[in-house]
Amino acid sequence: MYGPYPFPSYTAVITEDELEIPLESQALSTFGRNHLAEDWEAERLTAHELSHQWFGNAVTLKRWQDIWSHEGFACYSEWLWAEETGRSTLEDEARRHHAALAESPEDLLVADPGPELMFDDRLYKRGALALHALRRRVGDETFFPLIRSWLAQNLGGSVTTEMFEEHAARESGEDLTDLFAAWLHDEEPRTCPISPPLDSPPIGGRGPCSRAADGPARSALRHQDHEPLGRLGLAQVMIREAHLGHRGARPGAEELEHRLLAGPEARPLLGAAVLTCFGRVRRRGRGPSRGRPPRSPRGPPRARRRGARR
């Protein structure tokens, strides 16, 4: 859906302590021991942090005011994954979160929230709803290739909201000024973008996030055996997939751009991982490390505003 995983490896660190929320950085995410669960909360957070490897790390905001371009995509990825696994439908997720926004203050400008509101939960949900409104406007056959080309053309670079708006208009061939003005540049939330309904299968079937207009690309949030990530349990999958990383040198930018635009099979995502779990390091086939546990290269992640990733 988004194209191949953009880095040579993906590492998941599990702390001995419980954490309010996980935290990602380039090619690495840090989870608390409380996130080792098979419930939806843990599963959606796994999808959220993983999606940041594309939206936030491979392609990064140029200004903090454009934070929605990270968090809106990550939140929308949660909804896509909910539909892919049959836990919910994207329409239901959009409807539910839009209803919650209706009870919230209308003092947030998505495209420029300011330092006090940049990690407000409303920005996450309204950013995701803006993407769904765009998808409604241009259709699946344009929306998903548009997102892949956005990533391909800006791989390793910094972007702004205006750049995304121009890209979407150029790729779709439509004037989208009114759509972005309403969803990103107005403090008042728009009408929920759920009509007409998507051609979605019933719960348990494969949703539109698994379909690409130019080929049978798998969802980017599924691993090689095509089993839902949360169904196996976070720790199980990370240990099991530790050998599935990229081998050899990282492909060049031109090769990655070609792969992204061609919509190829998604590469395994939890590859070449070292799982730090409860003070021990486990590698596939090697068992726990001996001697002193390695020091984390980072201190404990700082908690963001409460509610930022609900």
Side-chain angles (χ1 to χ4, degrees), residues 34-308:
N34 51 307
H35 298 125
L36 293 176
E38 296 188 14
D39 59 19
W40 170 240
E41 183 67 10
E43 189 171 338
R44 76 165 187 88
L45 289 171
T46 302
H48 185 110
E49 303 307 333
L50 183 57
S51 70
H52 274 312
Q53 298 307 316
W54 286 266
F55 306 101
N57 292 309
V59 177
T60 306
L61 55 78
K62 185 175 291 186
R63 309 165 305 192
W64 280 112
Q65 72 184 67
D66 302 309
I67 187 66
W68 83 271
S69 66
H70 292 193
E71 303 301 348
F73 274 104
C75 183
Y76 198 61
S77 297
E78 295 178 29
W79 301 355
L80 289 168
W81 184 241
E83 183 164 79
E84 180 72 12
T85 58
R87 289 183 178 271
S88 181
T89 68
L90 197 144
E91 300 288 81
D92 286 345
E93 292 300 301
R95 184 182 293 107
R96 180 168 66 88
H97 290 294
H98 186 273
L101 287 169
E103 306 299 323
S104 303
E106 297 178 359
D107 60 352
L108 173 71
L109 198 63
V110 176
D112 191 3
E116 293 301 317
L117 296 178
M118 64 185 298
F119 291 115
D120 190 283
D121 188 54
R122 293 172 296 164
L123 181 137
Y124 290 54
K125 303 308 188 291
R126 287 184 59 182
L129 288 167
L131 292 170
H132 196 50
L134 173 61
R135 181 181 174 186
R136 283 271 174 230
R137 177 77 160 262
V138 303
D140 283 11
E141 68 283 354
T142 298
F143 177 77
F144 289 107
L146 179 159
I147 299 305
R148 288 197 296 273
S149 62
W150 167 251
L151 292 166
Q153 294 171 19
N154 294 287
L155 189 68
S158 299
V159 297
T160 65
T161 297
E162 292 77 14
M163 289 170 64
F164 181 74
E165 293 176 1
E166 292 170 3
H167 177 83
R170 182 172 59 252
E171 295 295 306
S172 67
E174 295 189 30
D175 183 356
L176 301 171
T177 304
D178 60 327
L179 183 144
F180 289 123
W183 284 97
L184 300 180
H185 302 283
D186 193 330
E187 292 183 350
E188 181 182 356
R190 303 292 97 183
T191 302
C192 189
I194 60 171
S195 181
L198 287 172
D199 182 20
S200 300
I203 289 179
R206 293 180 60 80
C209 62
S210 63
R211 298 198 302 270
D214 54 355
R218 304 294 188 199
S219 166
L221 297 178
R222 297 180 78 84
H223 63 78
Q224 187 172 5
D225 293 333
H226 304 278
E227 296 176 79
L229 186 59
R231 303 287 174 84
L232 295 179
L234 185 62
Q236 276 186 288
V237 173
M238 289 174 181
I239 295 171
R240 175 180 173 181
E241 301 289 323
H243 68 297
L244 292 178
H246 289 262
R247 301 299 185 189
R250 178 182 175 183
E254 291 184 3
E255 182 181 352
L256 279 176
E257 180 172 348
H258 171 74
R259 292 178 185 176
L260 283 162
L261 291 172
E265 286 281 341
R267 284 177 173 271
L269 303 180
L270 298 176
V274 176
L275 176 63
T276 303
C277 186
F278 309 129
R280 295 187 297 177
V281 176
R282 294 183 181 275
R283 294 179 177 85
R284 180 178 175 86
R286 297 186 185 179
S289 61
R290 297 179 179 179
R292 293 180 59 186
R295 292 182 179 270
S296 170
R298 297 147 38 102
R302 293 180 297 172
R304 296 182 182 179
R305 292 173 60 91
R306 180 175 293 275

